[in-house]
Every structure is written in structure tokens, then in C-alpha cells.
Amino acid sequence: MSRIDYEELLRSPLDDLDSRPPSRVAPLVSGLVVGLLTAYLVFTLLGGDGGAVAEAPPETTTTTVTAAAVAPEYAAGYVEYAPDLAARPEKIVVEDNVVTVAFTSVVARGADPATTPWPHGGSWSLETAAGVALRSDLVEFGVSSPGAFSVRFPAATLGPGEFDTVRLLERWDTDELTATVSLPFVGEPMRIDEPLSVPLSEEVTLLIPTLELGRYQGSIDWTISGAELGATVTCVARLRDGDGGLVGTYEASPSVDALSQSGRIDLDWQRPFPDTQEGAVTVDLEWVVDAATATPTAVEFSLDGVAVGA
Amino acid sequence: MNGAGRFGVGFLIGVILVSAVTTRLAGDEATTTTEPQTSLGTTPTTIEPWFEPGEVMIGATALLPGSLDVKDGIVTFHYDLVGLAPTLVENETAPGLAMPAGDVLEFPEIWQLTTESGKTVGSSTGPRDSSVRFEMPSPDDEVASITLTGWRVLIHIGDSVSVPLENGASGELRRGTVTVSAVLEQSISTVVHIDFEGAEDPWQVRVDLRPLDPHWNVSSRQAGMQLTWNGTDPPPTIVLEDAGYDLVPVSGSLLVYDAAATP
């Protein structure tokens, strides 16, 4: 390895600076750098613009909207008219001397449609844009669903397009009264010789003038006292043997019954119990009476946009 | 210009540059400070589902979309209906829902399918259906969306008619004609046959005749019913009521299937 080569490896480009002619640009660059530093220090120490930035942070208000879902209590368009229950007018039917407003009803969010009580009737007012108010004379239900009901208004002179509002003035809720009566059973057909009186409360008494339990069917006539607005009555008849064991049951098909002061219950012998009533010595008559009571209220339903037809 | 002069010129340029930059920065910050900016999001429009995510509400009835099958040019869209109406009996048709199911009061009827190429084809369903079928307009096209454009709402309109208890006597209900077709006097009872003739309407789902007087024993007959009166002295007229339902049509537009939003 030669000496020159070794020195060349260690050589710096700066080693030759002193031997170069003086630069014309160097004073200008040096001044620029010193000027930049001086100006920066002056602005900082005197609380200039740089200080203003530090003292006044940006007051930016940012509203972040999350996609939270709305949870309404009732389906759209429904108005609450009883606890956990709302209704909506669907159609107005105009006939010769009667106007009928048909409603559908729904339960509140989370409520059980099978157990939520629904009013069996009420007093309603149908009001026109001209200020005429008609009082209802009947609230009717279809046979199988309490979610569809109609309110009837006697009206001789009203025509389409005049309806403005329908208002619930008084709601007929029901109090559930129960009782069980045991009778001896000596074979079918079983009949009672004398009317059966079933006290349900201090005011309400159920009277059974006729009762018959046959091979496959049964029937019970009833009247109610102490329930001015009427009642609905259901009964399950359970046949029992001498040890209290269940032999079989008569039950009625579920149906929406109208409030009444009297009525008839049609019963069917239920299977898959033994096909005969053999062995039964008593019958337990389990009564459930829904007696109507009036609750004053003021719930308004707009009829704007509700279809009117025949 | 000598070296000192050049240094001075550089110094001045440096001071001017720093002043310009800091002034600009201060101006920007001042604007931000004096005019707070508010960033607004979009208004939420989603409704928490009543029964399960993906449901489409038809009034008070939820349509729960099911599978979409395409085979040999036939599209079949399956669905379930779950209601919010009060009910006499517990419904167990759709377990695992967020809340118990009630009676169904709305039923899909008129549908429209739109293909990826923009063609549309219609179809219809009845009250007891749980699927709708479409014929694809061309075999190489695909389903883009399905929209429900018409449905029915179940309502009850009270209706009754009084009919003399005579052979051939008839009366008009809103949904049809009742006729006393036979009065049969037995030794200890009277049997009456009632015929009913209604309109040919597939949506007339439930004509439910019953006598207002509960002392008539009711049993069904083909095209009508049989009433039995215990005794030979039945009332001279019989009042029959229709305790059934009407299904009234409603128009609208509800998107029930969107291929772009389906994984």
C-alpha cells in the first residue's frame, strides 16, 4: 500500500478551503441567518405574533352525532288511549243513518299483546269542522281480534268530508272478578235444578239460570247484576274424581265478547283427556267476569287523511 | 458592496421573512379564534327495531325479510309477518323476537321487483301467503330491489240484518246476502238453515255470521250455518250480525329488499 493512497482516503474536502479565493456570497448568507435568528428572538421575547398563537387556542366546537336509534313507544300514527295501548282511525264508513269509524290498536313497545288489557267499550264523540258533535251508541269488536274495533255514531244528515276529529270521552275498562263454585257431578248430561247465584264482589253478582254439561258440549246462560255497563263472562268447568284428580275439562273457544247484562257460554269437552266423564264426582266451575267501569278521559284522534267510504 | 454590506442585506432579508411568516400565522389563528366552527352531523333517522333488525314496518305490522331464492328465472322472496296488536292468544310463530308477537293487522298485497338493468316486474300476494314470486324479465339479469307498493289493513265494521223466519226470506249485509233456506219444525226444537252469498273477493277473509240472540245454537253448514232453537216457539225474526273483518287497501312504497345493502 503506498503512502499517497493512504492520505487520499483520509482527505476532507474542507482541507482545501483555506486555499480557495474569498467568497462574495458568504457575508450575505451569514447576515440572512443572523437576521432570521434575531427576528425570531425579538418576536418571542416581546410576546409578538408567536405568543398570540400560544395564548389563544382555537375554539373550534365540533358536534359529533352518533347514529343512535330512536325508540318510539308506539308505532307511527298511533295515539295512546289506555295504559300501554294506542289506537289509530283507519276508515270512516258512511251509511244511511250511521257513521262508523274503524280503528286499529297496538300495544306499547315491550308490552305483551296477550296480557295488555284493552277497553271493551267507551263513549266517543265525532266532531265535524262545522262544530257538530255526535255521541257514539256502540263500540264493536270483531270476533277474534281485539286489535280491530269500530265506533258507531247515529247520524242522519252528515256527508263525506265533514269529519274533523273523533274523541274518546269515557273509557270502559274492566275489573276482573273471579270465583270458583263446586257442584256434585252425577253423570252427563248434567243440569242444575235451581238457578245458581255466584257473588263476585259486594256489588256484582252472577246469576246462572241454566247450565248443561253434555257428552261433548255444554252451555251456560248467565245474567249479571251490579255492573251497569255490562260484563263479559267466561267459565271453565273441570270434572274431578274422588281424590280431586282431573278427569276432563269443558272450555269455550277464545273470542272477543261484547259487554252485556246477559249471555250464553258455549263449552266444548276438551281432549286428549279420557273421552268420557266416567269417574267424575264433582265439577269445579271457574268463573272469570270482566265487569266494565267508566274512566273519564280526553283523547283526540285527528281524522285528517282518513279514508271515507261506504 | 463589501462583506459588511452584504451581511447587512442578509440580515434585513432575514428579519423581513420572519416578520412576514409570523404575521401570517397570527392572522390565521385569529380567524379561527373569533369564528368558532361547528361541524354538524346528519340527523339520525333510524328507528330501533320492534322485533329484529332488518324488519320493515307496515303500519303496526313488521315484515321480517327471509331468503331470496332465484331458480330457473323465478325469484321467490320469503317473509314473515309479526304484529303489535293485542291478541286473545299468545302467538308463537316467531320465537326469539325482541318482544312478544301480537295479532297481524296488515297484509302485503302488491309488489314490484327492479332488476340490475332497471327493468321492473310486478306480483301480488294474498292474506295467507308468506312468500312472493316474480318472473325475471330476462334470464341473465339480477335482482336489484323489491318494493311493497300496496297492502291491506284489517278493520272491523259492525253490520247486522234482521230477517223474518220464513222460507226464502233474505236480507242484505254490506258483504253479501243472507237467505233463510229452510225452517224445519221438530217435535221439541226448530232448525233453521241460513245461506250466505258474498262477493268473489279473495281478500274477503272472514265473514263471521252469528245470531245476536245467544239462545240460538249455532253449527256450520256448507255455504252457511244451521241454527237450532230449543222449543217450537222461535222468535218471528232473527237478527244476524257479521262479526268478521274487512281488509281495506292502502298504497305506499316500502323497500323490503335491497341487493346493494345485502351482504
Side-chain angles (χ1 to χ4, degrees), chain A residues 87-230:
Chain A
R88 182 175 73 180
E90 301 284 358
K91 188 175 182 181
I92 303 168
V93 175
V94 181
E95 295 169 296
D96 289 343
N97 54 2
V98 166
V99 176
T100 304
V101 182
F103 289 83
T104 57
S105 65
V106 297
V107 300
R109 182 182 292 273
D112 187 345
T115 59
T116 300
W118 39 274
H120 284 59
S123 179
W124 296 71
S125 172
L126 177 61
E127 297 163 17
T128 70
V132 177
L134 305 172
R135 273 298 182 93
S136 65
D137 69 346
L138 189 63
V139 176
E140 293 181 292
F141 291 83
V143 71
S144 59
S145 178
F149 66 95
S150 60
V151 184
R152 193 178 73 178
F153 300 89
T157 58
L158 290 176
E162 299 179 0
F163 310 109
D164 182 59
T165 302
V166 62
R167 199 183 305 272
L168 177 61
L169 306 174
E170 192 176 79
R171 196 179 69 229
W172 295 354
D173 297 322
T174 52
D175 289 336
E176 186 178 282
L177 306 170
T178 60
T180 300
V181 176
S182 293
L183 298 175
F185 185 83
V186 293
E188 56 84 15
M190 171 194 165
R191 298 186 179 93
I192 53 175
D193 299 326
E194 296 179 354
L196 180 66
S197 180
V198 183
L200 297 161
S201 69
E202 288 187 5
E203 299 84 18
V204 182
T205 299
L206 187 66
L207 187 68
I208 309 299
T210 62
L211 179 152
E212 179 171 334
L213 300 177
R215 180 74 175 84
Y216 298 110
Q217 292 177 316
S219 65
I220 300 171
D221 291 326
W222 60 268
T223 61
I224 196 96
S225 64
E228 287 187 9
L229 296 175

Side-chain angles (χ1 to χ4, degrees), chain B residues 121-141:
Chain B
V121 58
S123 188
S124 62
T125 49
R128 297 172 187 83
D129 290 331
S130 58
S131 64
V132 56
R133 286 163 52 92
F134 302 90
E135 282 189 39
M136 287 293 278
S138 56
D140 54 348
D141 213 344

